[in-house]
Amino acid sequence: MTAPARTRTSADLIRAEEPVLAHNYHPLPVVVARAEGTWVEDVEGRRYLDMLAGYSALNFGHRHPALIEAAHQQLDRLTLTSRAFHHDRLAEFAQRLAALTGLDMVLPMNTGAEAVESGIKVARKWAYEVKGVPADRATIVVAAENFHGRTTTIVSFSTDETARAGFGPFTPGFRIVPYNDLAALEAAVDETTAAVLIEPIQGEAGVVIPDDGYLAGVRELTRRRGCLFIADEIQSGLGRTGRTLAVEHEGVVPDMLLLGKALGGGIVPVSAVVARRDVLAVLGPGSHGSTFGGNPLAAAVGTAVVSLLETGEFQARAATLGGVLRDGLTGLVGRGVVAFRARGLWAGVDVDPAVGTGREIGERLLAEGVLVKDTHGSTIRLAPPLTITEDELGTALESLRVL
Ligand SMILES: *Cc1c(COP(=O)(O)O)cnc(C)c1O
């Protein structure tokens, strides 16, 4: 008989994964057993400051009391109906999420990739039914170095060879232009263009922030050329940058917004397409769906997430502490840090390659009790829970000095 998991060491558990778990990840050698707020604890009881926050899925920290309470209450009442029937949590979730984002209608899904896929489908249908693009000719313009998820269609327009290799044939209908280049975008858009799909800040690419005016330029261009602006805010949205949405930094409202990650409060997968009414109206019964999308538990947790964001408290924390993060990183430039890009509580830090690979840096910080993840090369991403205190942020910045 095998011993119960709780008696096993981290090393045992890591070894036990190897033969039975697909090797599509290469996690840092830490086995987390519990967490609260900004801190996680491994099976041996060592504590770590979480500076990744589940790639922004944990914007409100681990097990935020209001979110856990909402989940518990819903678990005791109703968890799943499917969309074959109405349930009593969905109207409020959709209404308040639409109000929070300044858009009209919500299509609830589960994962980020599903929101992206759904957005692509809606944009194509809009192109045929509203714009009048000839059948099967619609194109969507995307940016190089994008990250929008892992499905076959989404990796079809990735520029990351590791994400694509071996997964063809790919879905046609995408045009790739350099990010942060309005002239290239202008040249790529034509009468077949359904939409421009971009991240307002490219997270996986290393927290790449476009020049001031780029997002406003995309908004102006898409409006003038008669195509949709789809903003993938799955990682940048919901407080991370110091605003509810990253597009707000330029006062822009897209036609369609893709949300995920933090929308599920770190408890359940919750994603959504949020859009103008005349755009989402192209979907009729049977044209799209999801068994779990908008389920009562997801709607309850999602509504509790919206409640937290309605207070503005987390956006304000991200903005204020973002200043502390920026100051701290500025002090490290030339001392192990080559350059960084930051907005709110989100930073891409280019560590001097002489210090080590991203992986080695992650391992060194792990030994210091800080969890981070490299993006590529020697670039690491810092994205702590928005609940982090100034002291904790100071601790994390201090740990970067050991590099
Ligand atoms: C994480 C992410 C996705 C994909 O979300 P999943 O839930 O992993 O499918 C899509 N777009 C962006 C910008 C992301 O950061």
Side-chain angles (χ1 to χ4, degrees):
M1 219 176 78
T2 50
R6 67 180 177 280
T7 67
R8 298 216 199 159
T9 65
S10 289
D12 288 339
L13 289 162
I14 292 170
R15 248 193 317 277
E17 286 183 356
E18 207 276 333
V20 288
L21 198 61
H23 296 174
N24 57 325
Y25 280 93
H26 182 35
L28 286 170
V30 56
V31 183
V32 176
R34 53 184 63 79
E36 187 156 359
T38 321
W39 295 88
V40 306
E41 194 180 309
D42 73 7
V43 294
E44 280 85 15
R46 284 182 292 255
R47 279 160 53 84
Y48 303 85
L49 195 53
D50 184 355
M51 291 295 288
L52 177 64
Y55 303 92
S56 287
L58 290 155
N59 276 5
F60 311 99
H62 293 269
R63 301 172 50 252
H64 188 287
L67 303 180
I68 292 293
E69 172 64 17
H72 276 155
Q73 282 194 14
Q74 194 57 43
L75 280 170
D76 286 341
R77 210 160 57 73
L78 174 73
T79 57
L80 188 69
T81 54
S82 85
R83 294 290 303 280
F85 316 109
H86 297 272
H87 69 75
D88 66 354
R89 301 309 309 256
L90 201 46
E92 184 188 0
F93 172 56
Q95 192 273 321
R96 286 171 65 185
L97 182 60
L100 181 76
T101 56
L103 286 156
D104 305 320
M105 275 182 128
V106 173
L107 168 66
M109 299 296 291
N110 308 284
T111 66
E114 279 183 313
V116 175
E117 286 276 348
S118 304
I120 290 167
K121 287 176 71 178
V122 169
R124 284 178 166 183
K125 206 162 195 297
W126 176 88
Y128 302 128
E129 293 182 2
V130 179
K131 180 166 172 165
V133 172
D136 296 339
R137 295 276 311 282
T139 54
I140 292 179
V141 183
V142 300
E145 315 301 325
N146 69 72
F147 183 84
H148 295 288
R150 300 295 200 165
T151 65
T152 318
T153 287
I154 293 171
V155 299
S156 296
F157 58 88
S158 171
T159 55
D160 174 358
E161 244 340 277
T162 312
R164 286 166 55 87
F167 298 129
F170 297 113
T171 307
F174 298 94
R175 291 181 187 161
I176 303 172
V177 297
Y179 189 61
N180 195 26
D181 184 339
L182 286 172
L185 194 58
E186 188 84 56
V189 168
D190 65 16
E191 67 285 350
T192 67
T193 306
V196 172
L197 164 62
I198 56 159
E199 299 156 85
I201 293 175
Q202 290 190 319
E204 300 299 314
V207 191
V208 174
I209 303 170
D211 294 339
D212 287 346
Y214 177 67
L215 299 174
V218 173
R219 176 65 286 184
E220 186 279 324
L221 187 159
T222 48
R223 190 171 278 139
R224 174 166 47 78
R225 302 289 299 273
C227 60
L228 304 175
F229 176 9
I230 308 177
D232 181 346
E233 294 245 17
I234 290 167
Q235 194 166 158
S236 60
L238 307 181
R240 173 59 53 194
T241 66
R243 304 283 179 92
T244 302
L245 302 171
V247 287
E248 287 174 37
H249 290 278
E250 293 200 16
V252 163
V253 181
D255 303 297
M256 197 193 294
L257 191 60
L258 309 177
L259 297 174
K261 292 200 166 98
L263 193 56
I267 300 174
V268 279
V270 184
S271 71
V273 175
V274 191
R276 291 202 331 244
R277 189 176 316 278
D278 61 303
V279 174
L280 261 184
V282 300
L283 293 183
S287 62
H288 191 59
S290 163
T291 304
F292 290 97
N295 69 74
L297 182 60
V301 172
T303 303
V305 165
V306 172
S307 292
L308 293 181
L309 289 166
E310 284 167 350
T311 67
E313 178 193 331
F314 296 90
Q315 297 89 323
R317 286 189 72 82
T320 306
L321 291 172
V324 176
L325 177 62
R326 175 177 289 279
D327 290 348
L329 290 172
T330 301
L332 293 172
V333 172
R335 293 149 71 190
V337 169
V338 176
F340 72 90
R341 299 156 297 281
R343 180 154 291 170
L345 273 174
W346 202 19
V349 182
D350 302 334
V351 177
D352 185 345
V355 171
T357 62
R359 173 78 187 186
E360 287 162 350
I361 293 156
E363 287 175 357
R364 222 172 296 169
L365 291 175
L366 178 67
E368 294 292 315
V370 176
L371 300 185
V372 300
K373 177 77 175 78
D374 53 300
T375 54
H376 51 246
S378 296
T379 300
I380 55 171
R381 160 186 23 207
L382 302 178
L386 309 182
T387 53
I388 194 169
T389 66
E390 191 165 344
D391 280 355
E392 289 167 344
L393 190 56
T395 302
L397 285 162
E398 203 54 43
S399 74
L400 291 172
R401 288 185 190 280
V402 307
L403 294 177

